[in-house]
């Protein structure tokens, strides 16, 4: 899996803008493309990638394609993945992830569920469906997203196939120390979303790239704060999913490979206060959700 992924979530999502951004990303060397049913970008991403493949700019084997199972599709992951493959115009995904450990009613095709949209979580059945996707050759790997250490351990108790990836929020101000250790113990790769602290995210952001420590490290290395933040994630053995359609920022992000942080830099970053952006309040309620509090959702890893 390429260590820098190109995220395709944007709000509002404009198909032509997304297609152009993906064409530009390919020219710059991006090869990992991340989408999800709920992002609304599967079709645009598929169109751009297939145009590049038909134009002999790339081969299908050269790209790594990730999408995610939304909560309303926990009933039938196989059918959900087949619809995703129709959207992207591909025969298989490289990675298929469970987006959240939440099961929703089949018609909930929107990002923020209502209180009566939840169903009882039967994750053993969900994971069995994910394993079926793998057996059928619809994807090459399966994994999860937004799973705490406790939920990873729980999944490993009953899953025949362990998840290969856990995609979670991770950046210099939310470092996921415990989770990285748990995943490392089980050879599960941690992939970081919002690796810059989520500037421009609809759900909020934290001031990673504006933090004085990050800025001072950038000045020391004659580089930029975003490159410092991304290289920190890469230095921890994680992949990073960056989301910018701005060409200059896209070049800047992929240029983070050229930076090497030293021990003093890492030590200074480890002292930063920690702030989580994507807390998941929209998945918490006291009546129908399996999670009555934020602490329940993240198993006190917050």
């Amino acid at each position: 899996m390429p260590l820098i992924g190109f995220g395709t979530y944007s709000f509002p999502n404009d198909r032509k803008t997304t297609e152009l951004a993906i064409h530009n990303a390919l020219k710059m060397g991006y090869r990992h493309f991340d989408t999800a049913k709920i992002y609304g970008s599967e079709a645009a991403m598929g169109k751009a990638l297939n145009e590049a493949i038909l134009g002999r700019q790339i081969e299908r084997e050269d790209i790594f394609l990730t999408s995610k199972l939304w909560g309303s599709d926990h009933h039938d992951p196989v059918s959900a993945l087949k619809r995703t493959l129709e959207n992207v115009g591909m025969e298989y995904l490289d990675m298929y992830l469970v987006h959240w450990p939440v099961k929703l009613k089949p018609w909930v095709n929107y990002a923020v569920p209502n209180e009566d949209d939840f169903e009882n979580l039967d994750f053993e059945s969900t994971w069995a469906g994910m394993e079926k996707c793998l057996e059928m050759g619809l994807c090459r790997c399966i994994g999860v997203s937004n799973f705490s250490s406790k939920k990873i351990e729980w999944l490993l108790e009953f899953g025949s196939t362990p998840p290969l990836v856990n995609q979670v929020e991770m950046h210099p101000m939310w470092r996921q120390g415990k989770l990285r250790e748990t995943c490392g113990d089980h050879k599960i790769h941690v992939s970081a979303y919002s690796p810059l602290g989520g500037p421009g995210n609809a759900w909020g952001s934290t001031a990673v790239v504006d933090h004085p420590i990050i800025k001072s490290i950038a000045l020391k290395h004659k580089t930029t704060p975003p490159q410092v933040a991304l290289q920190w994630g890469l230095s921890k053995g994680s992949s990073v999913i960056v989301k910018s359609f701005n060409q200059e920022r896209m070049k800047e992000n992929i240029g983070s490979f050229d930076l090497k942080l030293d021990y003093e830099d890492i030590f200074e970053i480890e002292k930063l206060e920690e702030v989580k952006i994507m807390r998941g309040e929209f998945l918490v309620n006291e009546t129908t959700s399996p999670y009555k509090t934020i602490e329940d959702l993240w198993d006190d890893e917050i």
Side-chain angles (χ1 to χ4, degrees), residues 22 35 63 87-88 112 128 171 176 203 220 243 258 265 273:
I22 291 168
T35 185
I63 58 176
N87 286 339
V88 299
V112 181
H171 47 74
Q176 296 282 15
W203 58 83
K220 168 185 167 182
K243 299 177 186 175
D258 299 330
D265 301 328
E273 68 277 19

Side-chain angles (χ1 to χ4, degrees), residues 125-144:
S125 296
T126 299
W127 195 247
M130 295 291 287
E131 292 175 332
K132 186 68 174 177
C133 290
L134 190 62
E135 292 167 13
M136 294 174 66
L138 302 176
C139 59
R140 291 187 168 180
C141 306
I142 54 175
V144 294

Side-chain angles (χ1 to χ4, degrees), residues 251-298:
K251 290 176 185 175
E252 180 182 10
N253 290 339
I254 205 165
S256 59
F257 279 123
D258 299 330
L259 170 65
K260 292 295 179 243
L261 300 177
D262 58 35
Y263 175 80
E264 182 182 345
D265 301 328
I266 300 296
F267 181 74
E268 289 299 314
I269 289 173
E270 294 294 326
K271 295 192 297 184
L272 295 181
E273 68 277 19
E274 295 206 61
V275 182
K276 183 165 177 56
I277 309 166
M278 175 53 85
R279 292 172 57 82
E281 287 95 341
F282 63 100
L283 298 175
V284 172
N285 67 64
E286 294 184 355
T287 55
T288 57
S289 171
Y291 311 111
K292 309 309 177 189
T293 66
I294 289 291
E295 289 73 23
D296 288 343
L297 177 60
W298 299 110

Side-chain angles (χ1 to χ4, degrees), residues 10 22 43 52 63 75-76 87 103 183 185 203 244 248:
S10 64
I22 291 168
I63 58 176
H75 311 79
D76 190 353
N87 286 339
K103 184 176 182 180
C183 289
D185 288 344
W203 58 83
S244 178
E248 290 305 312

